[in-house]
């Protein structure tokens, strides 16, 4: 079957992922080949000390992404997209979407970027003896309770962004287990919220006299391969403003961007791992056994099928790096040069290879927001050097590339050096790796292990959720997700592996020694820069 026939016959899977700066839709065939892509760019807002997107922006962005995809199909194949074999929705993990009994939003959507939940996260971590990160949904919920916010008594449904979009399209209150693991601790044996911790939470909030308990307002947990409802007529009309898309299409469980990153890099089996580097940067290592103790720097989450997974999640990734590239773009324009953004990134990233292994003594922190791994609740982007530092363009770019991995490396060091976690392969994906060989080389240096980047790396989590939708559609009876991906998707895909350079690895360690010392400067900047 050719591509046009696959689209006409609905032998396709659609994945839509709502990322921090881009909503992306990927239409694929049964083998994971990308048939069409839709894009909608957006940006979060900082309103009343909350990182958020308005409900209007969410709706407009979802429709805009689908419109872009539909138009791409019309442009490339000359046909109208009317049916799809299966659909999957994913989005930024964690956060807080609060709805009342009429399913109306009753509090601002709080994204993963918010760090205004310190008290709640600390108390819940102690209560559960399990690390509750500041961005988790239950931390947001409990903080709203501690702050006495009036809307809490009227809660009927609390979910993540992916769960909210899934509700719009299907009317079902479901969540994929990977995204659920960013809401509340998961028991990998029962594939559900941890019952013991759930009982502790309900007892904790009982004195407040709410009419609901945790399970009443949280979505039902499903694993990859299960049907999570069907596209309703209302959902189809919402998604496709032309009214051409038909209802009845099955949807897979909605997932977070961590789970889709695992699927997109074939990293869902024990001893595999991946690093997603973009606006935020996070590393996922699928474990053979639980960690020996609690670490506040490490999130314990799951794969889309419920395997325990250790996550080193940095709120801040390449935002500051991108801002500097933008500044160089302004300078190029001032000088009368017509340079594309892609060429800017290519040349500046490549220039960094000429820098010293330790960045010549330069240091930067791209902290646009607080950083859980380094225990900072706010952030200030800063660039540092001494009079003796080697201040040139190559070292400047290298320092900003290194620092994009700095916080996440601190978490990975705990896993690999302290817990001696075994990993057979690490795969990189996201915008950090778009310039071939650069980000990959620096990640290999940071983990001192080989790193693979697939040819599909630029497709990212939208492709990953399309693969989970495809698994729902084309799985064989009893076929595990890891076997499906290995044998039917990645078997014929190519990628390139890079081993760590010894000098790079040593230089990165020196950079990290300075990075840790320099956190005192970052703390002072947060205190002093209050304007």
């Amino acid at each position: 079957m050719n591509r046009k026939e696959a689209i006409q016959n609905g032998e396709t899977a659609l994945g839509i992922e709502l990322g921090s700066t881009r909503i992306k839709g990927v239409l694929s065939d049964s083998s994971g080949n990308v048939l069409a892509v839709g894009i909608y760019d957006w940006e979060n807002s900082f309103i009343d000390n909350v990182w958020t997107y308005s409900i209007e922006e969410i709706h407009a962005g979802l429709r805009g992404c689908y419109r872009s995809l539909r138009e791409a199909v019309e442009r490339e194949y000359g046909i109208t997209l009317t049916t799809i074999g299966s659909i999957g929705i994913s989005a930024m993990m964690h956060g807080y979407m609060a709805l009342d009994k009429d399913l109306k939003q009753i509090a601002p959507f709080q994204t993963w970027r918010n760090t205004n939940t310190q008290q709640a996260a600390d108390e819940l971590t102690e209560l559960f003896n399990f690390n509750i990160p500041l961005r988790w949904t239950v931390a947001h919920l409990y903080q709203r309770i501690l702050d006495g916010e009036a809307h809490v008594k009227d809660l009927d449904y609390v979910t993540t962004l992916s769960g909210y979009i899934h509700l719009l399209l299907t009317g079902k209150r479901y969540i994929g287990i990977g995204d659920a693991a960013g809401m509340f601790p998961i028991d990998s044996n029962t594939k559900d919220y941890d019952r013991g911790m759930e009982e502790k939470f309900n007892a904790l909030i009982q004195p407040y006299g709410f009419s609901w308990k945790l399970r009443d307002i949280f979505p039902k947990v499903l694993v990859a391969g299960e049907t999570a409802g069907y596209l309703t007529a209302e959902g189809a009309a919402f998604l496709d403003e032309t009214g051409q898309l038909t209802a009845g299409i099955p949807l897979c469980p909605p997932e977070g961007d961590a789970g889709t990153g695992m699927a997109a890099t074939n990293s869902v089996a024990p001893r595999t791992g991946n690093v997603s580097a973009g606006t935020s940067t996070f590393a996922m290592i699928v474990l053979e056994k639980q960690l020996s103790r609690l670490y506040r720097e490490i999130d314990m989450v799951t794969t889309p099928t419920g395997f325990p997974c250790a996550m080193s999640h940095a709120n801040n990734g390449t935002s500051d790096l991108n801002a500097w590239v933008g500044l160089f773009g302004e300078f190029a324009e001032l000088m009368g040069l017509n340079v594309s953004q892609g060429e800017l990134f290519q040349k500046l990233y490549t220039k960094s290879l000429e820098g010293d292994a330790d960045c010549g003594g330069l240091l930067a922190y791209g902290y646009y927001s607080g950083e859980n791994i380094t225990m900072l609740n706010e952030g200030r982007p800063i660039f540092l050097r001494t009079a003796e530092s080697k201040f040139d363009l190559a070292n400047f770019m290298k320092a900003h590339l290194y620092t994009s991995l700095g916080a996440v490396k601190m978490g990975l060091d705990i896993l690999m050096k302290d817990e001696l976690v075994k990993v057979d392969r690490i795969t990189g994906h996201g915008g950090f790796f778009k310039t071939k060989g650069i980000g990959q080389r620096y990640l290999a240096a940071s983990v001192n292990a080989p790193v693979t980047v697939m040819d599909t790396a630029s497709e990212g989590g939208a492709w990953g959720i399309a693969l989970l939708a495809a698994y729902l559609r084309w799985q064989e009876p009893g076929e595990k997700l890891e076997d499906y991906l290995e044998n039917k998707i990645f078997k014929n895909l190519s990628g390139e592996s890079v081993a760590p350079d010894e000098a790079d690895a040593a230089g990165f360690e020196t950079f990290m020694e300075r990075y840790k010392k320099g956190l005192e400067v970052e703390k002072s900047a947060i205190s002093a820069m209050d304007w």
Side-chain angles (χ1 to χ4, degrees), residues 6-16 26-28 66 69 73 81-88 231 239-240 244-251 469 473-474:
I7 295 171
Q8 288 175 316
N9 296 338
E11 294 297 314
T12 54
L14 170 62
I16 298 178
V26 169
L27 188 70
S28 74
Y66 183 83
L69 178 81
V73 169
L81 188 60
T82 60
T83 188
I84 299 164
S86 55
I87 297 175
L231 184 67
L239 189 61
D240 182 10
Q244 298 294 312
L245 185 63
T246 57
I249 299 167
L251 273 78
R473 181 84 164 78
W474 288 292

Side-chain angles (χ1 to χ4, degrees), residues 315-363:
N315 282 357
N316 301 281
T318 58
S319 292
D320 197 41
L321 171 60
N322 295 343
W324 281 108
V325 174
L327 187 69
F328 288 125
E330 283 189 49
F331 175 73
E333 186 177 351
L334 179 66
M335 299 301 294
L337 303 175
N338 183 18
V339 183
S340 70
Q341 188 178 61
E343 187 177 3
L344 271 172
F345 276 95
Q346 174 72 37
K347 288 189 177 296
L348 289 169
Y349 275 37
T350 302
K351 182 67 176 179
S352 72
L353 294 174
E354 301 174 18
D356 298 304
D358 67 347
C359 305
L362 306 185
L363 183 60

Side-chain angles (χ1 to χ4, degrees), residues 30 46 69 72 74 78 161 233 245 251 305 314 329 391 444 492 513 527:
S30 60
F46 192 58
L69 178 81
E74 292 171 352
L161 182 55
L245 185 63
L251 273 78
T305 54
F391 184 44
N492 298 316
E513 290 173 10
S527 175

Side-chain angles (χ1 to χ4, degrees), residues 112-113 278-281 314-318 366-371 403-404 407:
W112 56 270
R113 202 170 204 170
T279 306
S280 65
T281 300
N315 282 357
N316 301 281
T318 58
Y367 284 16
Y368 272 50
S369 63
E371 189 55 74
T403 202
S404 297

Side-chain angles (χ1 to χ4, degrees), residues 374-389:
T374 53
M375 307 300 177
L376 297 175
N377 290 340
E378 294 183 54
R380 302 288 186 273
I382 56 176
F383 171 68
L384 303 167
R385 64 188 177 105
T386 68
E388 290 75 32
S389 299

Side-chain angles (χ1 to χ4, degrees), residues 76-398:
E76 295 175 35
Y77 303 99
I79 56 178
T80 299
L81 188 60
T82 60
T83 188
I84 299 164
S86 55
I87 297 175
I89 299 295
S90 63
M92 301 164 275
M93 281 185 75
H94 321 112
Y96 181 75
M97 180 68 77
L99 309 176
D100 65 12
K101 60 182 177 57
D102 297 317
L103 300 182
K104 300 296 184 182
Q105 187 185 30
I106 55 175
F109 168 52
Q110 303 227 14
T111 76
W112 56 270
R113 202 170 204 170
N114 288 287
T115 53
N116 54 1
T117 58
Q118 187 71 62
Q119 181 184 355
D122 288 347
E123 290 186 16
L124 292 175
T125 295
E126 183 176 357
L127 178 68
F128 297 155
N129 192 31
F130 186 98
N131 183 36
I132 302 297
L134 277 64
R135 62 189 173 276
W136 277 27
T137 306
V138 69
H140 282 286
L141 172 60
Y142 187 47
Q143 191 66 55
R144 306 291 82 79
I145 294 172
L146 292 174
D147 292 345
E149 295 193 20
H151 80 271
V152 177
K153 69 179 186 307
D154 298 319
L155 286 173
D156 191 71
Y157 191 39
V158 172
T159 188
T160 64
L161 182 55
S162 80
Y164 171 70
I165 298 299
H166 187 85
L167 175 70
L168 288 180
L169 300 183
T170 68
K172 299 295 184 182
R173 301 186 181 198
Y174 293 145
I175 196 80
I177 193 168
D179 209 7
M183 294 187 69
F184 194 84
I186 292 292
D187 183 337
S188 288
N189 294 317
T190 64
K191 307 291 193 293
D192 200 357
Y193 304 120
D194 186 286
R195 284 283 186 180
M197 297 184 199
E198 181 187 344
E199 290 172 1
K200 288 181 179 180
F201 182 81
N202 287 332
L204 177 68
I205 66 170
Q206 186 177 9
Y208 292 92
F210 300 125
S211 61
W212 50 263
K213 294 184 178 180
L214 185 83
R215 193 168 292 263
D216 298 330
I217 61 172
F218 269 28
K220 178 178 172 58
V221 179
L222 299 179
V223 298
E226 292 187 281
T227 301
Y230 298 85
L231 184 67
T232 63
E234 295 80 6
F238 176 86
L239 189 61
D240 182 10
E241 298 159 312
T242 70
Q244 298 294 312
L245 185 63
T246 57
I249 299 167
L251 273 78
C252 69
E255 269 296 350
D257 50 5
T260 61
M262 285 187 267
T265 55
N266 194 19
S267 305
V268 298
R271 295 176 68 109
T272 62
N274 78 91
V275 174
S276 173
T279 306
S280 65
T281 300
F282 52 85
M284 311 284 295
I285 308 295
V286 187
L287 303 178
E288 296 179 283
K289 60 180 181 179
Q290 296 288 348
L291 300 181
S292 65
R293 65 179 183 86
L294 180 155
Y295 295 94
R296 290 305 298 267
E297 301 92 339
I298 302 296
D299 303 0
M300 286 304 302
V301 291
T302 78
T303 70
T305 54
F307 274 117
C309 185
M311 181 184 201
S312 173
H313 185 291
N315 282 357
N316 301 281
T318 58
S319 292
D320 197 41
L321 171 60
N322 295 343
W324 281 108
V325 174
L327 187 69
F328 288 125
E330 283 189 49
F331 175 73
E333 186 177 351
L334 179 66
M335 299 301 294
L337 303 175
N338 183 18
V339 183
S340 70
Q341 188 178 61
E343 187 177 3
L344 271 172
F345 276 95
Q346 174 72 37
K347 288 189 177 296
L348 289 169
Y349 275 37
T350 302
K351 182 67 176 179
S352 72
L353 294 174
E354 301 174 18
D356 298 304
D358 67 347
C359 305
L362 306 185
L363 183 60
Y365 297 93
Y367 284 16
Y368 272 50
S369 63
E371 189 55 74
N372 182 62
I373 292 177
T374 53
M375 307 300 177
L376 297 175
N377 290 340
E378 294 183 54
R380 302 288 186 273
I382 56 176
F383 171 68
L384 303 167
R385 64 188 177 105
T386 68
E388 290 75 32
S389 299
K390 188 176 179 182
F391 184 44
D392 57 27
L393 182 60
N395 279 323
F396 182 84
M397 288 306 302
K398 188 171 237 180

Side-chain angles (χ1 to χ4, degrees), residues 443-463:
L443 177 59
S446 73
V447 298
N448 201 18
V451 172
T452 300
V453 173
M454 305 296 296
D455 293 339
T456 53
S458 63
E459 302 300 348
W463 185 61

